[in-house]
Structures are given as C-alpha cells and as structure tokens.
Amino acid sequence: MTAMDRIVYFDNNATTRVAPEVREAMMPFFGELYGNPSSMHAFGGEVAKHLSRAREEVAAFLNCSPEEVLFTSCATESDNSAIRGTAEFYGRDTKVITTKVEHPAVLQPCRRLKALGYDVVELPVNGIGHIDLDQLRDELKGTKNALVSVMWANNETGVVSPIREIAEICKEYGATIHTDAVQVAGKIPVDVQKVPVDMLSMSGHKFHAPKGIGIFYVRRGTKVKPFMLGGHQESGRRAGTENVPYIVGLAKACELARSGMAAEAVQLTRLRDKLEAGLLATCPNTIVNGDRANRLPNTLNLSFEYIEGEAIAYHLSDLGICISTGSACASGSLDPSHVIRAMGVPFIAVHGSVRFSLSRYNTEEEVDYVLEEMPKVVKKLRDLSPFGPDSDPTTFQ
C-alpha cells in the first residue's frame, strides 16, 4: 500500500478539510456576487449585507457584539495585532507576560518586543503543561500597563488552560488579557461573556473553513492600535478589502460548529481514548504528554522513548497515515518541540514525541488501521536504534 492508495489524516491541529457546506456557501462570491462591499452602489451593497450577516454569525459563535469581531487573514495576524497593537498603544511602559509553550505566532512578536527593550516575561509550565497562577499574580503586582497572552489550548498537547481564572486574575490587576484560541475553535464552547478576555485570535482553517481567514475579537473599550493601516475597512481597525468569500465560509463553519460541537466532542473523545489505550498497550516505554484530565477531545500527544518522532512520522506517511511531531509552523526544524521540552519530558523521550489530532471526518476504521500499523513501525525503529533501556544515559546528551 502506498500513501496514494489511502490517506488517514490525523493532523487536524495543523489544518482541517474544508466542509462541503462551507465550500457551497462560498461559491456565489467567486461568481455573481463579486462586488466590493465598500462600494457605494447597490451591487456592492448587496455583498455588504452578506458580510454583515457573516459577522453576526461569528459574533453568535463567540457570544459577543458584531462590532467586536474583526476579520483578518489568519490567527498569526490576529496574534500580532493584539500583542504589537497593545504595546504600541501603551509604549515602553508595557509589561508583556506570556508562557514558554505558546505558538510561535505569539512567542516571536513577544521576543521582538523584548529585543526592542520591552519588559517581557515567559512563564514556565509544570510537567502537565500548566503555568503557576501564583507566579502570574506575582508578575502582575505593581504593573501599570500589562498585557498577558496565554493560549486557551495548546496546539501540540491539547492541554486546556484555566483561561477563565487567568482572565479574572488579569482583571483583578487591571491587565489586558489576550488568548490564542485557535485550537479550541469548534472543539469546545467559547463564550467571551463567561470568559472575560479582552482579545482573542482564531483561524478558520482549524475548524473546517478555508486557509487565509481569521478572527480577531476585541472587547469594546480595549486599547489597541491598528496593525494594518490603509483604508477604512473593519471600522478603521483593520485596513484592506474584506475577503468576502472566505468570511462567508468562516461564518458557515461557525454555524456548523455551534450545532454539532457537543456530539462531535463525544465521538472524538471516544476515538482518541481508543487510540491512546491501544498504543500504550502495544508500544511499551511510551508516555502521554500533558494534562490528561484537561485537554481537547481530539488531541493525543505521545512520546516514544529511544526513537525519533520524525522517523515515526516518515514511516507512517509511507503507509498513508498523516501525523505531526509538533506545530506545523515549526516543522522545518529538527530540534525537539519547545512545548515538550518546557514540560520537562525526559531526554530519552523528548525527541520521540508525536501528535495525533482528529476531526469530525475521522472514523473508527482509521483508528484501527493506525493501531494495526504503528506498533510495527515503533518496533522496527527501536530494533534499529543504538539506544534502549540498557544504554549509557550519557549517550543521550
């Protein structure tokens, strides 16, 4: 069997299949409804009505006002808008607090600010991927203008942060709170009335909308300067002609998620747990990374001791099985995942971490196929490895 004969796609935290309903909703805007929604004529005005309805659907998805929803090209743009826009508004007095396990779309702009002289703190995490909330409080004490950016759920391990408690701590100290909510979109409910974040980022392609469209939620009254300058679009807060087909598709994905999220979570949890139990039973010297009690229903991150995660992924790819060794945005590097390293995973396992991430389109038969093939791959690689339980520990350093 070759990869072309069968594709088992378990890399949905990297990107998802566009839902057929989403494609169908987008099609008119590639054809007859091609007007610019900013135009004065009635033709453009008709397109503007669809744009307005899409914004209302996304607002319902987040439980916010439509005026608080901005459309961007992706969550990377939204993350940069939140971090750099806040820092620009408050100036060098801004203290930026984030974590060591954030996505590069958050870590890199924070580190750029640090290079420019801003006070930037990256909080460590414990062995299951959580920050110390008392340490967050200590960092916030005495601050005048603080920005806290903590991801709602980790893209590699699926660990879900206590984001409501984190947001409430930020409110207690008068800090602005941003969350990268990319991985929770469509998987668990997001209600910004219950979770009082000031800013939130999402990408459509993580929950069955196309690549190239993102959400930037900005709570009314939040102080942030525009990141994209030019025209008057998005109420002057994000310049550039709106990507109407993709915005409409994003809104349809939000609608589908709202109606099907609860049932999907049950199904995904069942499949993930079956996959986890089967691999732990058939592949000794394997550990689960992250908080197993508080994680996304679709995500499983495992470390296989004594072998390389990249080798596992390559061998599975030959069998048509698509998985990841970490964030797709860092896949060009062979260094161990910064997330796994931050959690203190033992060195004999840190290189052997892989991520399985499922979606509504995965089946039990696909899980069974992985459970049949993966133990063979792991055994083969371990048989070839010079390392093992009886190896000199210094050879791993």
Side-chain angles (χ1 to χ4, degrees):
M1 177 178 291
T2 68
M4 295 304 294
D5 296 321
R6 180 178 192 177
I7 294 294
V8 175
Y9 187 78
F10 280 5
D11 197 19
N12 288 278
N13 283 12
T15 198
T16 56
R17 178 191 304 181
V18 176
E21 300 92 335
V22 170
R23 292 200 302 270
E24 182 180 355
M26 294 170 63
M27 290 311 295
F29 302 91
F30 291 114
E32 62 268 26
L33 292 173
Y34 59 85
N36 189 321
S38 297
S39 298
M40 296 294 292
H41 46 69
F43 184 50
E46 181 62 27
V47 176
K49 292 178 184 177
H50 289 278
L51 177 61
S52 179
R53 284 196 288 269
R55 198 183 306 276
E56 290 170 358
E57 180 60 49
V58 175
F61 180 64
L62 300 176
N63 193 21
C64 68
S65 167
E67 291 73 27
E68 295 174 311
V69 174
L70 306 183
F71 294 116
T72 63
S73 63
C74 60
T76 293
E77 181 190 328
S78 301
D79 288 340
N80 274 263
S81 298
I83 294 164
R84 298 173 67 176
T86 302
E88 185 177 348
F89 184 90
Y90 288 108
R92 294 297 176 86
D93 290 337
T94 312
K95 180 174 183 177
V96 180
I97 302 171
T98 187
T99 82
K100 291 183 178 295
V101 296
E102 298 297 310
H103 190 278
V106 167
L107 284 177
Q108 293 305 318
C110 287
R111 289 170 181 173
R112 173 65 63 85
L113 291 177
K114 185 172 184 177
L116 293 174
Y118 285 80
D119 183 5
V120 177
V121 175
E122 295 180 15
L123 298 175
V125 296
N126 61 19
I128 58 173
H130 293 296
I131 63 170
D132 183 336
L133 298 185
D134 287 334
Q135 186 175 6
L136 172 61
R137 289 187 177 92
D138 288 342
E139 292 291 347
L140 286 171
K141 288 177 182 176
T143 58
K144 181 180 179 182
N145 301 312
L147 168 65
V148 176
S149 185
V150 177
M151 64 196 331
W152 196 315
N154 188 268
N155 54 300
E156 295 190 31
T157 63
V159 171
V160 177
S161 300
I163 197 67
R164 180 174 182 173
E165 188 173 357
I166 290 170
E168 289 171 347
I169 291 171
C170 291
K171 297 297 123 184
E172 179 184 345
Y173 288 92
T176 301
I177 169 71
H178 163 256
T179 186
D180 181 325
V182 167
Q183 293 299 338
V184 300
K187 299 168 189 171
I188 60 177
V190 174
D191 186 335
V192 295
Q193 303 309 313
K194 294 180 179 179
V195 180
V197 294
D198 298 303
M199 295 177 287
L200 174 148
S201 305
M202 286 182 175
S203 265
H205 75 103
K206 304 294 187 177
F207 63 114
H208 305 292
K211 303 170 187 66
I213 184 65
I215 298 169
F216 183 30
Y217 161 76
V218 183
R219 186 178 296 276
R220 186 181 288 108
T222 301
K223 308 300 185 184
V224 57
K225 287 198 173 183
F227 180 63
M228 296 279 283
L229 302 176
H232 63 278
Q233 294 87 357
E234 300 298 285
S235 300
R237 296 176 294 172
R238 196 274 184 182
T241 301
E242 293 92 347
N243 188 356
V244 178
Y246 284 56
I247 290 171
V248 170
L250 173 66
K252 187 64 178 180
C254 289
E255 178 189 333
L256 294 172
R258 282 209 295 155
S259 63
M261 191 184 313
E264 284 178 24
V266 172
Q267 173 71 350
L268 290 172
T269 300
R270 186 181 70 81
L271 292 178
R272 180 205 63 196
D273 289 351
K274 177 178 180 176
L275 180 63
E276 177 182 302
L279 291 177
L280 291 177
T282 56
C283 301
N285 301 107
T286 300
I287 60 176
V288 180
N289 295 315
D291 185 349
R292 297 170 75 173
N294 298 285
R295 57 178 166 165
L296 297 172
N298 79 314
T299 305
L300 172 63
N301 191 297
L302 298 173
S303 281
F304 296 86
E305 296 179 355
Y306 313 115
I307 54 178
E308 298 281 343
E310 288 82 4
I312 298 172
Y314 286 137
H315 279 72
L316 290 180
S317 181
D318 288 340
L319 298 168
I321 300 170
C322 305
I323 65 167
S324 171
T325 57
S327 167
C329 295
S331 60
S333 171
L334 294 179
D335 292 333
S337 157
H338 73 284
V339 174
I340 303 304
R341 282 186 286 125
M343 291 165 50
V345 173
F347 195 84
I348 57 173
V350 72
H351 284 272
S353 63
V354 298
R355 179 188 70 191
F356 300 86
S357 47
L358 288 67
S359 84
R360 68 175 72 138
Y361 298 115
N362 289 121
T363 66
E364 189 147 9
E365 290 74 19
E366 291 176 327
V367 171
D368 290 337
Y369 178 57
V370 174
L371 289 176
E372 176 185 351
E373 297 296 335
M374 185 148 184
K376 302 174 191 175
V377 169
V378 171
K379 183 179 185 306
K380 177 181 179 180
L381 291 173
R382 283 178 172 162
D383 287 345
L384 294 172
S385 174
F387 309 117
D390 300 323
S391 301
D392 180 353
T394 60
T395 62
F396 296 104
Q397 300 176 1

